[in-house]
Amino acid sequence: MKGDRVLVSAHRCNDRERLVRALDLGVDRIEFDLQHEDGAVVVAHDPGATELISYREVLALIAGRAGIHLDLKFATPDHRLEQEAVAAAVAAVGADQVVVTGGRPAMLAAVRRWAEAEGHDLRIGLSVGRGLGGLPWRRRLEILREDLSPWNRLAEAGADVLVPHWALALAALARGARRRGVPVLVWTVDSPRALRFWLRPGRIWMVTTNRPEDALAVRAGTADGAAAARLRP
């Protein structure tokens, strides 16, 4: 809504140090990634990566201090593990403080069905933007066309938030989502100019950033000292 404060999500808090630092800053959401390993969920961005902190520890640290931006990087055949992971996040902070994101519409739709069955008004976001390195140029064009028109996939996922890469958001998707009344969560916003642009009140719903201290300073209009030096173009 016009004039609303843009929320700040601290990106990839997959270890205790980053997580505690972001909590101490007072961010609105803590973003972390879950993978599936040996029948369990682990806090990690990439398959097979070393887990530096357990999911249980993450939830215990966040509870009562921030909301959760849960990025599901996996999908199981029956989606039971995904639903259990989301249930744990909801139990820790409440459904109104959780946003679940991912790029697999079928998995997100299963989470939506679970949330509705449990009576949770849960935010679910379809992530848009895929790595194109090493692909033939025709396939790159096909993927880009798909990503610039994600509306059918958004509906298929039962998602109510669009989660585009900042370049796609800037190109067309933020404007298209605004016309449709769909909240936007832009990733990953780090540069000074981009932070100032996306954090303008009412522009989008949320940004996720590796520079939460700078984002909060921009939003508050209090960037000074070392923060101001970092934020100068």
Side-chain angles (χ1 to χ4, degrees):
M1 186 177 296
K2 187 175 181 180
D4 284 355
R5 184 181 73 163
V6 177
L7 301 182
V8 173
S9 168
H11 184 245
R12 204 172 293 184
C13 292
N14 293 344
D15 63 73
R16 180 180 293 272
E17 183 178 356
R18 284 176 69 95
L19 173 56
V20 171
R21 177 169 164 271
L23 287 169
D24 289 344
L25 287 170
V27 297
D28 303 294
R29 298 285 192 277
I30 298 291
E31 192 270 355
F32 57 95
D33 310 287
L34 290 186
Q35 289 283 358
H36 171 223
E37 296 287 345
D38 299 323
V41 296
V42 296
V43 180
H45 181 267
D46 301 309
T50 301
E51 184 182 44
L52 301 176
I53 185 171
S54 73
Y55 188 33
R56 180 178 296 181
E57 290 176 291
V58 168
L59 296 180
L61 286 167
I62 295 174
R65 299 189 65 186
I68 289 173
H69 172 184
L70 181 62
D71 197 20
L72 296 178
K73 299 289 188 184
F74 70 97
T76 58
D78 63 3
H79 305 298
R80 178 184 55 83
L81 278 178
E82 299 94 294
Q83 293 166 353
E84 290 178 355
V86 175
V90 169
V93 301
D96 63 332
Q97 291 298 305
V98 175
V99 57
V100 178
T101 61
R104 298 174 172 87
M107 179 272 290
L108 295 175
V111 172
R112 172 62 72 201
R113 290 192 296 272
W114 168 85
E116 290 179 346
E118 295 294 321
H120 297 312
D121 186 13
L122 185 68
R123 291 277 198 186
I124 295 178
L126 175 70
S127 299
V128 180
R130 289 165 278 181
L132 303 178
L135 295 175
W137 68 268
R138 288 185 179 177
R139 181 55 184 152
R140 295 187 190 193
L141 290 176
E142 289 173 359
I143 290 174
L144 184 57
R145 281 197 294 267
E146 291 172 4
D147 285 347
L148 286 171
S149 185
W151 314 113
N152 288 340
R153 280 188 290 145
L154 190 78
E156 178 188 348
D160 56 359
V161 178
L162 187 67
V163 189
H165 182 270
W166 65 265
L168 294 171
L170 194 62
L173 293 188
R175 185 168 59 254
R178 190 177 302 116
R179 288 199 305 268
R180 293 168 171 82
V182 177
V184 175
L185 194 174
V186 174
W187 58 277
T188 302
V189 182
D190 293 334
S191 76
R193 181 176 296 177
L195 285 170
R196 286 191 289 265
F197 177 81
W198 291 113
L199 286 166
R200 189 170 299 171
R203 173 148 279 160
I204 55 172
W205 176 54
M206 187 186 300
V207 299
T208 186
T209 177
N210 293 305
R211 306 292 309 198
E213 68 279 18
D214 291 347
L216 293 172
V218 167
R219 189 176 70 179
T222 58
D224 55 14
R230 286 194 302 271
L231 289 164
R232 282 195 292 269

